[in-house]
Amino acid sequence: MKKPGIVLLTMAAAALGLAAFAACKDDETPPMEHTHAYSSWVVVDEPTCTEEGLRERTYSCGEKETEQIVALNHTPGEAVRENEKAPTCTEKGSYEEVVYCTVCEEEVSRKTITVDALDHTPGEAVRENEVAATCTTAGSYEEVVYCTVCEEEEHTCSRCQETETQTIDALDHAWSAYSFDETNHWRECTRAGCSAKEEAKHSFTRNTCETCGYAFYSEGLLYEVNNDTDTVTITGEGTCSDTTIYIPAVIDEKPVTEIGNYAFLRCTSLKEAVIPQSVTSIGSSAFNYCTSLKEIVIPEGVISISNSALNYCTSLKEVVIPQSVTSIGDSAFDGCDELTTVYYRGSKEQWDSIIGSNKDALTGVQIICDYKGE
């Protein structure tokens, strides 16, 4: 009677074994494959003519993929002539053939082209230095041919036909004053019969062309005319919201001599201010809380910097102060937490005499006196 019990026990054990085997197979089931779903590419940095750009896309799981965008390369424009030297009767001329990129205006190529000398253009022969014949002595004269362009002359003796050439120095061009537009400047020779012309692109140092003096400035600046002194004070930025402000030296044919009180107060987008040499004073709080201002060069000729002029310019790292400054008002540099260096064009003794109460605000700032740089 014990055998049926043994059979039941064996069947139970077999069932347990099958269950264990099934559980083991479940544990070994491979994980689901991870696939990415991409978003569209988004350009992070646009490529330029010479530098690569960057784009990225985002996977559905949050990961990102970046990819370089090939630089565009320059797009050459039509060749233009620069630095022309007109040929003369005896000397070669030349000019530079220059190609600029039509996108970034960077110079792509430049080559010098030589122009052959013109050679002389003989005029009609004339008689000079005539000696009249006498009864016993023959007379003579010089037959002279002048070049109609450069006036070089050739003498021919009427008796022996020997010639003598005398060179008259060429005249320099009599250049007109420069004319200009927003891109180029040019001038022409004013001598009769000369068609020489020079034309070139502006070569700017900050906002002024080194060659012709053309200067550009920000439109929309607010200003007041000081009738008693016939000068102009800048009072605000008006409609101008540029990150760089160019202040003109002259408005309505009157010199700009002052940046007024609170002129650019809280202009938080302003990163650079270019001040002309005509300015002699910077008013109270003129650049107060210009929190993006990183660069300002105060030109030679400025005499006074008033109270809180650069107060809380929290991005300002360097400032250049001319030797002409004789006074700096209270709190001029308060809150300029990023200021590391002040370049002063005068001596240490002069600096100590004008710094006044600003000494504490400039603790830890490097003061470089007798500064000769730009």
Side-chain angles (χ1 to χ4, degrees):
M1 296 299 292
K2 293 182 179 178
K3 289 183 180 179
I6 293 173
V7 172
L8 291 174
L9 183 59
T10 302
M11 292 177 63
L16 289 173
L18 289 173
F21 176 73
C24 180
K25 287 184 65 83
D26 289 343
D27 290 342
E28 294 177 356
T29 300
M32 294 180 64
E33 184 180 352
H34 179 69
T35 59
H36 286 128
Y38 298 97
S39 67
S40 299
W41 286 106
V42 176
V43 176
V44 178
D45 292 316
E46 294 283 353
T48 68
C49 295
T50 57
E51 296 183 358
E52 293 180 335
L54 185 69
R55 67 178 186 172
E56 69 177 20
R57 61 182 179 180
T58 305
Y59 302 142
S60 57
C61 63
E63 294 183 19
K64 290 185 178 181
E65 178 184 7
T66 60
E67 183 177 274
Q68 299 291 330
I69 304 174
V70 177
L72 302 176
N73 295 329
H74 291 301
T75 304
E78 294 185 0
V80 295
R81 290 187 177 188
E82 294 185 1
N83 303 320
E84 289 194 62
K85 177 185 176 183
T88 67
C89 297
T90 56
E91 295 184 357
K92 293 181 178 181
S94 65
Y95 62 88
E96 292 179 329
E97 192 172 75
V98 190
V99 176
Y100 292 94
C101 175
T102 60
V103 178
C104 67
E105 298 187 352
E106 185 175 328
E107 184 179 303
V108 176
S109 65
R110 179 183 293 267
K111 64 180 178 179
T112 300
I113 307 296
T114 301
V115 181
D116 291 337
L118 302 175
D119 293 332
H120 292 301
T121 303
E124 294 184 359
V126 295
R127 289 186 178 186
E128 291 186 0
N129 302 321
E130 290 192 57
V131 177
T134 68
C135 295
T136 58
T137 306
S140 66
Y141 63 87
E142 293 178 332
E143 190 175 76
V144 186
V145 177
Y146 289 94
C147 174
T148 59
V149 177
C150 68
E151 299 184 353
E152 188 175 278
E153 63 184 24
E154 182 180 86
H155 294 263
T156 303
C157 177
S158 63
R159 296 177 63 185
C160 64
Q161 303 302 309
E162 183 177 339
T163 61
E164 175 190 18
T165 299
Q166 177 182 357
T167 301
I168 300 173
D169 291 338
L171 300 173
D172 292 331
H173 290 300
W175 293 114
S176 65
Y178 277 106
S179 299
F180 46 75
D181 55 24
E182 293 182 357
T183 306
N184 301 316
H185 54 247
W186 58 90
R187 60 180 181 173
E188 300 176 346
C189 180
T190 59
R191 294 192 187 281
C194 184
S195 59
K197 180 179 179 179
E198 286 186 342
E199 183 173 5
K201 285 181 174 291
H202 293 308
S203 176
F204 286 111
T205 297
R206 300 179 74 79
N207 68 320
T208 303
C209 177
E210 299 172 344
T211 303
C212 70
Y214 169 76
F216 62 88
Y217 59 89
S218 302
E219 297 181 355
L221 293 173
L222 300 178
Y223 64 93
E224 291 179 353
V225 176
N226 307 309
N227 293 322
D228 53 340
T229 58
D230 213 27
T231 60
V232 172
T233 297
I234 299 296
T235 59
E237 65 172 348
T239 60
C240 178
S241 59
D242 297 337
T243 57
T244 298
I245 294 287
Y246 294 100
I247 299 172
V250 176
I251 295 179
D252 295 338
E253 299 182 354
K254 297 176 175 59
V256 176
T257 59
E258 183 180 10
I259 300 175
N261 299 337
Y262 311 105
F264 300 102
L265 175 66
R266 298 186 185 280
C267 291
T268 56
S269 63
L270 181 60
K271 293 183 178 180
E272 183 184 10
V274 179
I275 303 173
Q277 296 284 344
S278 59
V279 170
T280 59
S281 66
I282 298 175
S284 297
S285 299
F287 296 96
N288 199 338
Y289 281 96
C290 290
T291 54
S292 297
L293 185 64
K294 293 182 178 180
E295 183 177 355
I296 184 169
V297 176
I298 300 172
E300 196 70 38
V302 171
I303 297 172
S304 64
I305 301 173
S306 299
N307 298 341
S308 304
L310 296 169
N311 191 286
Y312 286 96
C313 291
T314 54
S315 297
L316 188 64
K317 297 181 183 299
E318 298 179 347
V319 62
V320 178
I321 298 178
Q323 188 176 4
S324 57
V325 173
T326 58
S327 66
I328 300 177
D330 296 337
S331 304
F333 301 99
D334 282 4
C336 295
D337 298 332
E338 294 296 317
L339 186 62
T340 60
T341 310
V342 173
Y343 298 95
Y344 177 59
R345 297 188 186 276
S347 66
K348 176 66 165 56
E349 291 74 20
Q350 290 172 307
W351 175 255
D352 290 340
S353 68
I354 66 173
I355 190 58
S357 63
N358 294 285
K359 189 171 183 179
D360 291 339
L362 295 176
T363 300
V365 175
Q366 183 181 22
I367 309 297
I368 299 178
C369 295
D370 295 316
Y371 178 63
K372 305 299 182 185
E374 293 301 324

